Amino acid sequence: MGISLFSLGLGMLVTSQPVSADVTATSTSSSAVRTDAISESSSSEAKAETTSASSSSEAKAETTSASSSSAVKAETTSVSSSSAVKAETTSASSSSAVKAETTSASSSSAVKAETTSASSSSAVKAKTTSASSSSAAKAETAAITTAGVANADSQTSAEVTADSTSTSQVVTNNSNNQNNTAQPAGNSTSTTQSTNQANSQISNQGQLNQFATGFVNRAISEGANVDPNNFTQAQIDALNKLEKYSTTKKNTDTTQFTYYQFQQTADKLAEVDPQYAIPYFKADQIQNLPAATAKDGQTGKVANMDIWDSWPVQDPTTGEIANWNGKQLVIAMMGTPNANSNHLYLLYNDYGGDNFAGWKNAGDIFAGYRGDKKTGLEIFGDQEWSGSAYPLDDGSIQLFYTHSKYETKTINHQNHQRIATANLKMKLNADGTISIASVDNDHTLFKGKDNASANGTHYQTFDQWAHNVTMFDGHKEDFGGADNFAMRDPHIVKDSQGNRYLVFEASTGDDDYQSEDQIYDLRNYGGNAKFQLESLFNLINNDYSVKDKVTGKMIKIGRDMRVRASQANAAIGIIKLGGTENNPTVAEVYDPIISAVMVSDEIERPDIVKIGDTYYLFAASRLNRGTNDAAWRKANDKVGDNVVTLGWYSKDLTKGFKPLNGNGVVLTSTVPANWRTATYSYYAVPTRSTDPRFKNTVLITAYMTNRNRVADYRNKDGKAVLDPDFIQENNGEHNSTWAPSFLLRVNPDGTTRVLPYVTNQGVWDFNNATKLNTNIMTAKADEAYLPWEKGVPFDNGSILGSGQDWVDSMPSDPYTPTAPTAPTAPTAPTAPTAPTAPTAPTAPTAPTAPTAPTAPTAPTAPTAPTAPTAPTAPTAPTAPTAPTAPTAPTAPTAPTAPTAPTAPTAPTAPTAPINPSQPTTPTKPVQAGQAAATNFVDQRLPQTGETDQQHMTLSGLLLLAMSSLLGLFGMTKRQRKE
């Protein structure tokens, strides 16, 4: 009891004092705020790296805040009341107790501080400038406004709120603060001196609007290495544009592929992360596709053709490979190398087979149907590109493809692409071969225009793009074709209700059009404010430079990046089809499902696979089509290529897609682009295997070896040379061919992983009979190239076949981690100095003998309580017996009639008495109706022979004696009473 009372008293003492706490806090009251934005809130919850002024909230923030009654963990200068402060500050306060390396006057509060602070009864761990009310925050910022910048690395392109009211001003003109250098802990006494960059005073602050000020403060708090005093006028102008372009309404059905996700993609590629890295293949095992040696539909000559973008004829609902009369069908782009021949061919093999040599070529699909009527050849510049196909019930094949014509009268001189469709009538010949009987209903399906205007609302049209003129520094700029137009690669999908859709590569239209304004929309960046600010300044800096790997010189890429960012508007679009299956039309045009505006100008070959109730979208891209030159150049320097597959997933086919793996990265290249084993144009198809190892997998197909005999170049005197004699000496041409296919696991949680399972080249249908090829895959990068390929200089522009001289990176060996250096041997420890001999201790005085304590009386042992007996379980009550049914009463009998009385006889004369001394009592005459009485006198008993009279006399005497005694007794008793 004494202990309990003592504890209670101690508890009262403790709770009566101010509490010093490390509370993660800023600018709020009675609620929780966690946000990556600059916000003004009340009673809210968010995750924040923000600038905030609010009440009734609790914030985890890297912010500057205005409030009172708060606990703040911040790198701040704080003005607050009713809170406990743990800070690196110099504090002048009342009602506080201070634990600090400070100059402090305080009472009745707990403060750990190395900062400049004026507070009352507060707990603050801070390196920020804060005035707060009833709030908790974690802040490493100097946040001063409620203008908000949302973390745009999300799937909904959330709007950024900005037009709000600031409650305090951090960025001010202050002559006492001219730098961003933090002061030594405990040595500051000035309440105006800065302790962190977050407290930096911008001398030209008046030129920044409220939104820009809050954004800069938040970026600094997150570690941005900038000095606002040194902002250029161009930087100030750019910052002041953020509010206008970051707060406009944007379509939330479209998922933004952000600048930050692009950066992460490039980083994963450079790391050769095994989760995403494409397997290494043995270069000496790769073969040209035998079926690619055929008549070129454009030249009319038999050639060893390149084969690249390919796709199977599939079930449009399940995505599985169709079984067409026991055959599997694939349509592919093919053409003679270096002849600008790009046309579609039909290939076939046994259904379910994986024999690479079993593929046959049915020829050019459109030769004789669209080309020169006299020669039956395709026309140069009139080409067919990637698409998709599915079988109809009548045995025909419905083909969707890209119809492209080379336009010479436009400003940018590029291919005019449009989505087209045709119905192919097929013929199975007696010898087992397949031919195309006819091409019907060939027509353009969609060009991007969805209304009566000249421009596309959802998607850019060719006319809209062709007349686009980007102006920089007063002159026209198209930068060598960096601005691409896209309306291609249609992929057919049917939903569970039978509705038909096409997903395709496109460019954004008027709703979210390409322009320099996109540079100032923070939603395009993703990441945090630090990343956004640094990326913005790089994009607007014409002098931004990186080191060229080949020359070792610094090259300016800033202007290139700015131009590209102003023109980039890649998108994945979707339309709904109407009409008949063999002659479809467009029924409805939707917003893009993916947009990469400002980030990339090419995300191609979209492909959707449905697993369970989820749609998985895959698309290929070359990072050098993006706007972050520094990122893709780093990838090129490490690997020698920059091709990737991106991916998203959604349960709704038309919207709401989320990036796979959180950043959209699915596959990354692993070898230089000029090696035999370089791959691209990845296309995913579902698997049919029931082996548990392959559950939730898709088969990744691709072409291998870049076009136009890139793998045949050799290094001669430091130059890449294509030598025909050398080619013949090394087993002939190494053309683009089908790659070995490999498996990718797609997990239900939205993550993916490349699996170590590889098939033969040219496998499209992965089933229980498909063989894994362990001989063609290797873990050694040194086996992934032909002997002459390593170190051959090349221009990526030559690989793309477009002569884009702005791509000037060189390949390198695959990235190999540097072996760690041996650790430095530790220095021998300094021998310790001999300890000083201790002085002899003073002899202690003898202690006073303690008085013997009174022995306590032994307590009486308590008697053990009697264990209660278990209660007797009650007996179950006896069920009552059913009552006996009463018997029916007996009917009474009729009464008997009385007999007539017998007439009395005359009395008999009395007999003379035997004993003269005792006269005989005369017999009483019998009355009429009575029987005569029997006389038992003088009857002898059969047992003794005595007469009854003798027996009766003795009994009578006894009765008489008893009567006399009783009478005497009664008389005596009466006399006593009297």
Side-chain angles (χ1 to χ4, degrees):
M1 179 66 74
I3 293 174
S4 300
L5 290 173
F6 175 77
S7 300
L8 178 60
L10 181 60
M12 294 175 66
L13 280 173
V14 171
T15 55
S16 68
Q17 299 300 322
V19 179
S20 173
D22 291 345
V23 183
T24 306
T26 85
S27 72
T28 54
S29 164
S30 313
S31 88
V33 175
R34 202 181 149 92
T35 170
D36 286 340
I38 302 172
S39 66
E40 179 175 16
S41 68
S42 172
S43 295
S44 65
E45 178 170 348
K47 174 181 178 184
E49 296 177 345
T50 78
T51 300
S52 174
S54 67
S55 67
S56 186
S57 66
E58 177 178 353
K60 177 183 179 186
E62 299 186 358
T63 79
T64 298
S65 166
S67 61
S68 68
S69 182
S70 71
V72 180
K73 178 183 178 185
E75 296 181 339
T76 79
T77 301
S78 176
V79 181
S80 66
S81 67
S82 183
S83 63
V85 180
K86 179 183 177 185
E88 295 179 1
T89 84
T90 300
S91 175
S93 66
S94 65
S95 182
S96 67
V98 182
K99 178 184 177 184
E101 298 178 17
T102 82
T103 301
S104 173
S106 68
S107 68
S108 188
S109 132
V111 180
K112 180 180 177 184
E114 296 175 11
T115 77
T116 304
S117 175
S119 72
S120 171
S121 183
S122 66
V124 181
K125 181 180 178 185
K127 295 182 184 177
T128 108
T129 302
S130 175
S132 65
S133 169
S134 184
S135 70
K138 175 183 178 184
E140 294 178 352
T141 94
I144 59 166
T145 81
T146 57
V149 180
N151 184 331
D153 195 11
S154 66
Q155 307 320 308
T156 58
S157 300
E159 293 187 17
V160 183
T161 56
D163 191 11
S164 52
T165 305
S166 174
T167 60
S168 65
Q169 189 71 37
V170 170
V171 184
T172 61
N173 263 324
N174 194 314
S175 60
N176 293 326
N177 179 36
Q178 300 300 326
N179 59 65
N180 292 321
T181 305
Q183 299 299 315
N187 295 330
S188 172
T189 58
S190 170
T191 59
T192 59
Q193 197 164 15
S194 171
T195 62
N196 186 275
Q197 279 190 332
N199 299 332
S200 178
Q201 313 298 315
I202 304 177
S203 60
N204 52 21
Q205 176 273 332
Q207 298 183 52
L208 287 180
N209 61 31
Q210 191 177 81
F211 188 100
T213 301
F215 172 64
V216 170
N217 286 334
R218 192 160 64 95
I220 292 173
S221 76
E222 294 167 355
N225 187 23
V226 296
D227 183 352
N229 290 310
N230 297 327
F231 283 170
T232 66
Q233 191 59 49
Q235 290 172 330
I236 292 171
D237 291 345
L239 289 168
N240 283 335
K241 293 179 181 179
L242 296 179
E243 181 174 13
K244 177 180 179 181
Y245 297 108
S246 298
T247 59
T248 56
K249 184 177 180 180
K250 221 170 187 179
N251 174 30
T252 57
D253 287 346
T254 301
T255 298
Q256 175 72 27
F257 179 58
T258 67
Y259 206 67
Y260 183 66
Q261 290 171 344
F262 184 99
Q263 177 74 56
Q264 290 181 302
T265 303
D267 289 345
K268 293 301 181 184
L269 193 158
E271 294 167 8
V272 194
D273 189 322
Q275 181 179 349
Y276 317 102
I278 294 165
Y280 290 125
F281 301 102
K282 294 179 181 178
D284 60 5
Q285 297 294 310
I286 302 303
Q287 303 172 19
N288 290 344
L289 177 64
T293 300
K295 179 181 178 181
D296 186 311
Q298 180 174 298
T299 67
K301 299 178 180 179
V302 175
N304 296 323
M305 293 187 286
D306 284 333
I307 181 170
W308 57 104
D309 296 5
S310 308
W311 62 94
V313 176
Q314 299 170 265
D315 183 299
T317 303
T318 66
E320 292 183 355
I321 309 303
N323 183 347
W324 190 88
N325 293 312
K327 304 292 183 181
Q328 54 179 315
L329 309 176
V330 171
I331 297 171
M333 291 183 69
M334 298 174 66
T336 302
N338 296 306
N340 197 23
S341 177
N342 304 291
H343 302 287
L344 299 184
Y345 293 74
L346 177 65
L347 300 143
Y348 58 94
N349 201 347
D350 292 337
Y351 179 71
D354 60 358
N355 181 9
F356 188 55
W359 286 97
K360 309 298 180 184
N361 195 331
D364 186 318
I365 293 174
F366 289 96
Y369 296 99
R370 179 190 294 127
D372 189 305
K373 300 300 181 182
K374 294 182 179 179
T375 65
L377 299 176
E378 296 261 27
I379 300 173
F380 176 84
D382 191 1
Q383 304 174 346
E384 306 87 33
W385 296 357
S386 295
S388 60
Y390 75 102
L392 302 186
D393 292 341
D394 63 0
S396 64
I397 303 298
Q398 193 62 32
L399 171 66
F400 298 92
Y401 69 101
T402 307
H403 187 192
S404 176
K405 287 188 176 181
Y406 187 69
E407 301 284 352
T408 59
K409 297 180 181 180
T410 62
I411 294 173
N412 291 315
H413 308 298
Q414 282 202 6
N415 294 292
H416 183 179
Q417 307 158 33
R418 74 291 302 270
I419 294 173
T421 186
N423 183 256
L424 311 181
K425 295 295 192 297
M426 311 292 293
K427 182 180 180 181
L428 180 61
N429 302 311
D431 60 359
T433 60
I434 295 176
S435 56
I436 300 170
S438 66
V439 176
D440 303 322
N441 301 329
D442 181 22
H443 65 281
T444 295
L445 188 63
F446 186 62
K447 296 192 293 185
K449 191 173 179 179
D450 52 355
N451 54 32
S453 66
N455 296 336
T457 302
H458 299 291
Y459 306 105
Q460 186 182 48
T461 65
F462 183 78
D463 289 340
Q464 187 177 2
W465 167 83
H467 295 91
N468 180 66
V469 177
T470 304
M471 300 298 294
F472 280 95
D473 304 326
H475 67 276
K476 184 170 61 179
E477 177 68 79
D478 71 3
F479 208 74
D483 185 13
N484 292 285
F485 171 73
M487 182 57 64
R488 62 177 185 260
D489 304 344
H491 178 77
I492 182 69
V493 183
K494 269 188 182 181
D495 66 14
S496 56
Q497 286 75 43
N499 298 309
R500 294 165 293 149
Y501 298 86
L502 285 182
V503 177
F504 54 95
E505 180 188 359
S507 304
T508 60
D510 280 346
D511 282 349
D512 198 17
Y513 200 58
Q514 65 182 59
S515 73
E516 186 179 2
D517 297 343
Q518 295 286 357
I519 294 175
Y520 310 110
D521 187 344
L522 294 176
R523 291 168 292 188
N524 295 331
Y525 288 86
N528 61 15
K530 174 181 180 292
F531 175 82
Q532 293 167 358
L533 180 65
E534 292 172 348
S535 299
L536 171 67
F537 281 3
N538 288 340
L539 285 174
I540 65 172
N541 179 12
N542 288 344
D543 294 327
Y544 177 52
S545 301
V546 295
K547 188 175 183 179
D548 182 79
K549 179 183 177 182
V550 178
T551 65
K553 297 179 180 179
M554 298 299 293
I555 55 174
K556 292 183 178 180
I557 62 173
R559 193 169 191 278
D560 176 16
M561 291 172 62
R562 182 183 175 193
V563 172
R564 292 195 197 198
S566 301
Q567 297 176 335
N569 65 333
I572 302 297
I574 184 168
I575 56 176
K576 185 177 182 180
L577 298 180
T580 61
E581 288 199 296
N582 66 358
N583 193 17
T585 60
V586 176
E588 188 172 358
V589 180
Y590 297 90
D591 291 316
I593 54 179
I594 305 294
S595 169
V597 67
M598 197 212 80
V599 177
S600 177
D601 214 33
E602 182 180 87
I603 300 178
E604 57 183 343
R605 295 213 70 203
D607 164 31
I608 285 183
V609 177
K610 189 176 184 182
I611 301 177
D613 61 351
T614 302
Y615 295 98
Y616 292 90
L617 168 64
F618 302 96
S621 184
R622 299 182 187 273
L623 295 184
N624 60 11
R625 300 294 199 189
T627 61
N628 191 337
D629 289 25
W632 67 255
R633 283 175 179 273
K634 176 184 176 182
N636 257 21
D637 289 347
K638 292 290 187 180
V639 173
D641 203 358
N642 54 69
V643 297
V644 298
T645 288
L646 305 173
W648 299 265
Y649 65 107
S650 174
K651 295 191 183 298
D652 189 329
L653 182 57
T654 63
K655 62 185 177 181
F657 280 83
K658 300 177 182 179
L660 286 167
N661 301 308
N663 49 28
V665 189
V666 176
L667 300 174
T668 56
S669 54
T670 49
V671 301
N674 67 324
W675 285 13
R676 174 64 162 162
T677 56
T679 55
Y680 188 56
S681 196
Y682 311 101
Y683 190 92
V685 292
T687 60
R688 294 195 297 127
S689 173
T690 58
D691 190 321
R693 291 178 298 168
F694 312 131
K695 183 180 180 181
N696 292 333
T697 59
V698 294
L699 185 71
I700 301 298
T701 66
Y703 75 82
M704 177 170 279
T705 311
N706 278 302
R707 298 167 54 200
N708 300 321
R709 297 183 182 141
V710 168
D712 286 331
Y713 282 81
R714 66 186 181 96
N715 191 341
K716 185 175 183 180
D717 300 327
K719 295 181 179 180
V721 175
L722 193 63
D723 185 345
D725 293 335
F726 178 80
I727 292 173
Q728 293 304 317
E729 292 170 4
N730 289 277
N731 301 318
E733 302 164 346
H734 297 84
N735 294 332
S736 297
T737 183
W738 279 340
S741 300
F742 60 94
L743 291 173
L744 175 77
R745 187 177 305 286
V746 182
N747 299 311
D749 63 356
T751 60
T752 65
R753 175 168 289 278
V754 174
L755 300 180
Y757 301 115
V758 175
T759 71
N760 293 338
Q761 289 179 251
V763 171
W764 292 88
D765 181 18
F766 190 84
N767 54 68
N768 289 332
T770 304
K771 295 181 292 293
L772 297 176
N773 190 333
T774 57
N775 189 49
I776 206 168
M777 184 176 68
T778 178
K780 300 177 181 179
D782 286 344
E783 295 181 333
Y785 60 86
L786 297 173
W788 60 86
E789 291 176 335
K790 188 175 181 181
V792 176
F794 75 99
D795 185 333
N796 272 358
S798 66
I799 291 177
L800 301 178
S802 57
Q804 292 159 334
D805 54 7
W806 46 269
V807 182
D808 59 2
S809 62
M810 296 285 289
S812 66
D813 292 340
Y815 174 65
T816 303
T818 305
T821 56
T824 305
T827 57
T830 306
T833 57
T836 305
T839 58
T842 304
T845 58
T848 304
T851 59
T854 304
T857 59
T860 304
T863 58
T866 304
T869 59
T872 305
T875 58
T878 304
T881 59
T884 305
T887 58
T890 304
T893 59
T896 306
T899 59
T902 304
T905 61
T908 304
T911 60
I914 297 171
N915 189 353
S917 59
Q918 185 177 3
T920 302
T921 302
T923 303
K924 185 177 180 179
V926 178
Q927 297 294 323
Q930 290 183 334
T934 303
N935 186 1
F936 289 102
V937 177
D938 225 9
Q939 296 289 320
R940 291 187 181 270
L941 298 175
Q943 296 91 342
T944 61
E946 296 176 333
T947 62
D948 185 53
Q949 183 172 356
Q950 291 172 323
H951 177 76
M952 293 298 295
T953 302
L954 180 59
S955 298
L957 290 176
L958 287 173
L959 288 172
L960 178 63
M962 285 296 298
S963 298
S964 299
L965 286 174
L966 288 173
L968 179 61
F969 177 75
M971 292 176 64
T972 303
K973 189 175 181 181
R974 184 178 302 116
Q975 288 175 353
R976 286 178 181 175
K977 286 183 180 180
E978 293 175 356

